[in-house]
Amino acid sequence: MTELTIPSEADAGRAAELVSDHIEIGDTVEVREADRTGGEEHTLTGEVTGLEPGYLELDGQPLDEGSIRYDEIHTVTRIESA
């Protein structure tokens, strides 16, 4: 397992670049959302099926149904390589 933490000052473009350098399509990952509201931390786990403009696609799901915007990512942990 390897983990990438997105720096808090990174914008969506920089976050996308860091994520695409760290993982590949087919990898199984755990993604923790950035806590921007002081609320509960959310974690997503799935297979990377796309490095889309604006968001990381997991398990072939659209953005509002299981994928995550790059600017919402706090950490990405690669659980299994493709």
Side-chain angles (χ1 to χ4, degrees):
M1 278 197 289
T2 59
E3 183 173 279
L4 166 70
T5 299
I6 304 297
S8 59
E9 69 275 1
D11 64 10
R14 180 65 180 141
E17 181 181 308
L18 291 168
V19 169
S20 69
D21 287 347
H22 181 70
I23 61 173
E24 297 179 8
I25 292 175
D27 288 350
T28 300
V29 297
E30 176 183 271
V31 180
R32 280 183 241 120
E33 290 186 60
D35 182 8
R36 302 188 190 283
T37 63
E40 186 178 315
E41 183 179 283
H42 293 97
T43 303
L44 302 169
T45 303
E47 180 182 338
V48 176
T49 51
L51 297 165
E52 303 299 327
Y55 73 99
L56 177 63
E57 183 183 85
L58 299 175
D59 295 329
Q61 298 299 312
L63 182 57
D64 59 348
E65 293 181 23
S67 294
I68 186 169
R69 293 184 355 209
Y70 293 114
D71 63 352
E72 294 178 342
I73 296 173
H74 179 261
T75 58
V76 177
T77 303
R78 185 176 40 210
I79 298 170
E80 186 178 317
S81 294

